[in-house]
Amino acid sequence: MFFKIAVRNIRAYKKRSIITVILLACTTALLVFATAYMDGSHERMIRSSVEIYPGYVQITHRDFRDSPSLENLIFDAGQVTAALADLPGIAVLTPRYESFVLFAAGNKAVGGMLTGIDPAKEGRVSRLWESRKQGEYLEETDSALVYMGSELARRLKVGVNDEVAFVGTGADYSFSADTLRVKGIFRTGLFDFDNRAAFVAKSYLDRVMGAENYATHFIVLPARPEEAAELAAAIGERLGPEYEAASWRQTMAGLVQAMRVDTIFGYITLGIIFIVIFFVVMIYTMLAVSARLREIGILRAVGTEPGQVWRMLVMESVLLALVSVVAGGLIGGSLAYYFKLHPIVFSGFEEQFKQYGLAMTDMPTAFAPLVIVRDMALMFVLSVAATLYPIHKVNGYRPIEAMHHV
Amino acid sequence: MNSSFLEVKNISKTFQPGRDVQVAALADITLSFNRGEFVVIHGPSGSGKTTLLNIMGGLDSPTSGDVILDGEKVTGVPEKQLSRLRRDHIGFVFQAYNLIPVLTARENIEYVMQLQGRGRLECTNRTQQVAEKLAIDKLLDKLPNQLSGGQQQRVAVARAVASSPKLILADEPTANLDSKSAAGLMDMMQALNEDEGITIIFSSHDPLVIGKAKHSVLLRDGMVASDEFFG
């Protein structure tokens, strides 16, 4: 009977019901979309910055991150590779040897970083291969062929097939120098990176630098990138105290901090919106139930207990909230799905993103059904909770007061 | 049949419309009603008829005094207990009908019976029986806003009667009706009083209602001016 009255009341007070549903559905859609946008943009930031070059997990000598000197290299890269060969969760493991050198071409000389890589594996752990703009990407057997950043090439005024000389410090502190031919030019969109980075096959650089089987660090691509921290811990345990395995959260602390700040501001904004919505729903419910006080008085007068009236009004509120959050969840979820497939493009903000080391202008949303359901549940609880005080308040009237209420 | 079952003992009710203003609506009212009586409480406007009826039905509380219905206290009890008392023992007929607007006539009549926990079949049969007696059996599927004032009042009477209360309190039930509808309603209520043995107490200043009563209480300025029995 109370359910029937609740449903009839919802239908009878159409205007109020429609306004309530629209208000709550829009808020739910906003929450679902805002969360999807926040999660999606963070995921995009991680992928953009981590996958361009730094990688999800880095393995170094235990002191290398604090003191990146030649004493703190990995001196037995083969042993590290062998030790981790059967560790589950690793999709790709590849060593790098980084060295600061002076590049020269014609009358131009520019400082930069020359890195020896395993071209095939590197193509899977970073965006170097995808970022190729001219020429060719590297191969394992390449000797004295360099793949360099577009800004570096521009400053050196070299193009594909031009020659570039370099001089740097070998692993034994001797001078190491050679002449390279430009095989390809890449552009990631990160100015600093494109301005100083150049790559050669690691087998070649090892020979030139006297660094056979050495590595400054290893890069690991986890089978499940979201479990990078757990994998880093497992690697650290496997390799022992001589090595340090750090996830991107440690190696890119600045980005993590920026995302944290962004999340906090996001939740503060949403929190303010929710507080406003909470009170709007509360005030609106107060007005709506006050307008029906006479009817509530009648119900009470003929013998309906206060608890039964409470149950009936809460039932109305639950039904309206249910319809609203389902509608809002569908709208917000659809938007999240659409913008996951068709990311929002911030064409004018390229420079601002670069300041955070992000080479991107598009922000896809995340589409996670469980997160959407969580947001819907949150909105449901919020909207029902907002009606409890008004219901409690009107239910406190004596029948005669309620019936005579104007 | 004539055992006293509703006692009103020293009831006073004072309203405070302003901070330093007090209005005495009822002053030390003491009355006694027997089971199965057909009573009218009459008097000029503002004499306290409605207030007294509301207090007797547990819709309002007195400033002082007690109301005892069939040995059970109506005053000074928790609201939940009062709701149950009204549901099980008291039927109300209001001047403004006060039907539940979203329920049909049938659902309005069945509502209190369902609160009492009666079975669906019993509710249906009882509703049909009462509706036929009050000549509203053809109107049962209509909503209150599809009924005339007289029809709504008959539905309200049916709702009050159907739950088989010990007492029906009717506050100026004919005030909004034309004389023909009013006479018809009074005849029906008199018949219900005689057939079902329900004690019915009206408040009214309608001579038609006053003329049909067997026990008449005259209120004036919140006090009992006369308490008379007829026939």
Side-chain angles (χ1 to χ4, degrees):
Chain A
M1 181 56 108
F2 296 121
F3 182 76
K4 188 195 284 179
I5 297 177
V7 171
R8 298 259 182 97
N9 273 324
I10 288 171
R11 283 162 53 188
Y13 297 93
K14 271 196 192 81
K15 198 172 161 190
R16 184 209 71 158
S17 304
I18 289 170
I19 290 174
T20 306
V21 167
I22 289 173
L23 184 70
L24 294 177
C26 287
T27 314
T28 308
L30 174 72
L31 175 64
V32 167
F33 182 73
T35 309
Y37 175 74
M38 219 151 58
D39 292 349
S41 60
H42 290 169
E43 200 177 305
R44 179 79 175 90
M45 284 178 195
I46 294 165
R47 291 178 72 86
S48 170
S49 52
V50 171
E51 291 181 0
I52 281 180
Y53 182 70
Y56 285 98
V57 178
Q58 276 187 21
I59 304 168
T60 56
H61 181 275
R62 66 177 178 205
D63 298 322
F64 187 79
R65 288 184 64 213
D66 293 332
S67 175
S69 67
L70 292 173
E71 283 81 27
N72 294 327
L73 297 176
I74 295 171
F75 294 109
D76 193 350
Q79 191 188 19
V80 171
T81 307
L84 298 178
D86 60 346
L87 188 71
I90 295 178
V92 181
L93 173 73
T94 184
R96 287 177 183 160
Y97 187 92
E98 287 178 348
S99 179
F100 287 98
V101 300
L102 186 67
F103 292 106
N107 61 351
K108 300 285 179 187
V110 175
M113 190 172 68
L114 184 63
T115 305
I117 56 171
D118 177 333
K121 288 182 177 173
E122 189 68 36
R124 292 180 62 192
V125 299
S126 71
R127 298 262 178 89
L128 289 179
W129 180 81
E130 295 168 34
S131 306
R132 181 173 59 90
K133 289 295 167 201
Q134 292 172 42
E136 298 297 326
Y137 182 61
L138 298 171
E139 288 172 25
E140 178 64 36
T141 52
D142 284 345
S143 179
L145 292 176
V146 67
Y147 183 64
M148 66 166 50
S150 55
E151 288 301 313
L152 182 59
R154 187 185 61 77
R155 288 166 71 199
L156 290 166
K157 292 191 173 171
V158 294
V160 174
N161 286 327
D162 288 344
E163 286 192 339
V164 177
F166 79 89
V167 58
T169 308
D172 57 357
Y173 292 96
S174 62
F175 279 110
S176 297
D178 201 359
T179 302
L180 305 168
R181 185 172 298 280
V182 178
K183 186 176 184 186
I185 293 172
F186 65 83
R187 184 175 182 279
T188 62
L190 289 180
F191 182 84
D192 276 356
F193 189 69
D194 296 341
N195 192 35
R196 66 186 170 87
F199 295 87
V200 293
K202 185 169 183 295
S203 52
Y204 161 76
L205 193 65
D206 285 357
R207 284 199 307 277
V208 175
M209 294 288 182
E212 295 283 352
N213 203 29
Y214 289 5
T216 50
H217 61 277
F218 275 80
I219 292 297
V220 179
L221 174 68
R224 296 171 62 86
E226 65 276 15
E227 291 172 4
E230 290 82 352
L231 182 62
I235 291 171
E237 200 173 311
R238 173 69 66 94
L239 294 176
E242 281 299 302
Y243 298 93
E244 182 184 18
S247 76
W248 62 271
R249 288 185 179 277
Q250 294 161 280
T251 58
M252 304 189 71
L255 176 69
V256 172
Q257 197 62 27
M259 277 170 41
R260 198 168 288 159
V261 170
D262 186 60
T263 304
I264 290 168
F265 275 106
Y267 281 120
I268 287 173
T269 310
L270 285 175
I272 291 169
I273 292 171
F274 288 144
I275 289 170
V276 171
I277 293 294
F278 183 87
F279 283 105
V280 167
V281 172
M282 185 186 276
I283 292 165
Y284 194 71
T285 308
M286 183 67 98
L287 293 172
V289 292
S290 294
R292 288 168 50 196
L293 208 47
R294 185 166 168 270
E295 179 193 322
I296 292 165
I298 297 168
L299 290 171
R300 293 277 302 283
V302 298
T304 318
E305 291 173 22
Q308 291 171 319
V309 173
W310 195 88
R311 201 190 317 158
M312 188 192 75
L313 293 174
V314 169
M315 219 178 270
E316 271 183 50
S317 151
V318 163
L319 285 172
L320 284 174
L322 206 58
V323 171
S324 307
V325 297
V326 168
L330 287 174
I331 295 167
S334 304
L335 287 173
Y337 188 69
Y338 177 82
F339 285 108
K340 179 189 169 71
L341 300 179
H342 306 93
I344 301 165
V345 179
F346 295 90
S347 46
F349 292 87
E350 203 167 11
E351 291 306 315
Q352 284 89 331
F353 284 137
K354 277 179 187 170
Q355 287 173 8
Y356 289 98
L358 305 172
M360 59 185 196
T361 54
D362 61 320
M363 286 284 189
T365 49
F367 181 75
L370 279 179
V371 175
I372 292 173
V373 170
R374 180 204 66 190
D375 289 348
M376 287 164 68
L378 181 71
M379 267 311 295
F380 177 77
V381 171
L382 186 88
S383 21
V384 173
T387 63
L388 294 182
Y389 174 71
I391 290 172
H392 175 74
K393 178 90 178 158
V394 296
N395 216 15
Y397 281 92
R398 281 182 301 168
I400 203 69
E401 290 171 330
M403 287 165 74
H404 290 166
H405 188 83
V406 180
Chain B
M1 194 66 187
N2 282 332
S3 60
S4 169
F5 90 118
L6 177 64
E7 291 176 84
V8 176
K9 291 181 176 174
N10 308 109
I11 287 290
S12 294
K13 177 73 179 178
T14 306
F15 292 107
Q16 194 163 7
R19 203 171 146 189
D20 299 319
V21 185
Q22 287 202 332
V23 177
L26 296 173
D28 201 25
I29 301 271
T30 297
L31 291 166
S32 180
F33 303 98
N34 295 325
R35 195 182 298 273
E37 275 191 332
F38 199 68
V39 185
V40 66
I41 297 171
H42 62 109
S45 293
S47 58
K49 303 184 293 289
T50 300
T51 306
L52 180 58
L53 235 59
N54 288 338
I55 289 171
M56 288 196 292
L59 295 176
D60 202 356
S61 53
T63 308
S64 63
D66 285 318
V67 174
I68 296 161
L69 173 67
D70 208 13
E72 202 174 338
K73 268 185 89 171
V74 175
T75 45
V77 295
E79 188 52 46
K80 189 174 176 180
Q81 197 179 321
L82 264 183
S83 298
R84 289 181 179 173
L85 184 85
R86 288 195 294 267
R87 179 191 71 190
D88 295 334
H89 303 307
I90 305 172
F92 290 94
V93 180
F94 301 99
Q95 181 180 337
Y97 327 131
N98 285 349
L99 297 175
I100 301 163
V102 294
L103 298 183
T104 62
R106 181 193 307 281
E107 289 163 341
N108 263 288
I109 296 167
E110 287 180 356
Y111 180 77
V112 182
M113 287 190 281
Q114 290 194 1
L115 285 182
Q116 290 173 331
R118 297 199 197 184
R120 183 175 290 273
L121 187 65
E122 189 188 350
C123 289
T124 308
N125 291 341
R126 176 72 175 152
T127 299
Q128 194 61 37
Q129 179 197 352
V130 174
E132 280 170 13
K133 201 173 270 185
L134 289 164
I136 51 169
D137 50 318
K138 301 280 191 292
L139 307 172
L140 289 177
D141 294 322
K142 292 188 182 295
L143 287 167
N145 61 11
Q146 297 169 317
L147 300 173
S148 69
Q151 289 169 335
Q152 284 191 60
Q153 196 59 298
R154 277 187 279 160
V155 174
V157 171
R159 177 179 65 185
V161 171
S163 58
S164 312
K166 294 174 181 172
L167 171 70
I168 288 180
L169 296 170
D171 184 16
E172 311 234 16
T174 58
N176 290 336
L177 304 181
D178 58 65
S179 55
K180 194 179 164 195
S181 301
L185 184 78
M186 285 315 298
D187 288 342
M188 286 171 196
M189 294 196 76
Q190 202 166 21
L192 286 169
N193 169 249
E194 284 161 9
D195 295 349
E196 310 224 2
I198 303 170
T199 306
I200 301 180
I201 302 177
F202 294 92
S203 75
S204 184
H205 47 236
D206 182 347
L208 176 78
V209 179
I210 298 167
K212 286 189 181 290
K214 297 197 174 68
H215 179 177
S216 167
V217 176
L218 173 64
L219 289 186
R220 190 166 288 140
D221 298 329
M223 290 182 284
V224 177
S226 70
D227 184 5
E228 298 173 295
F229 293 83
F230 307 103

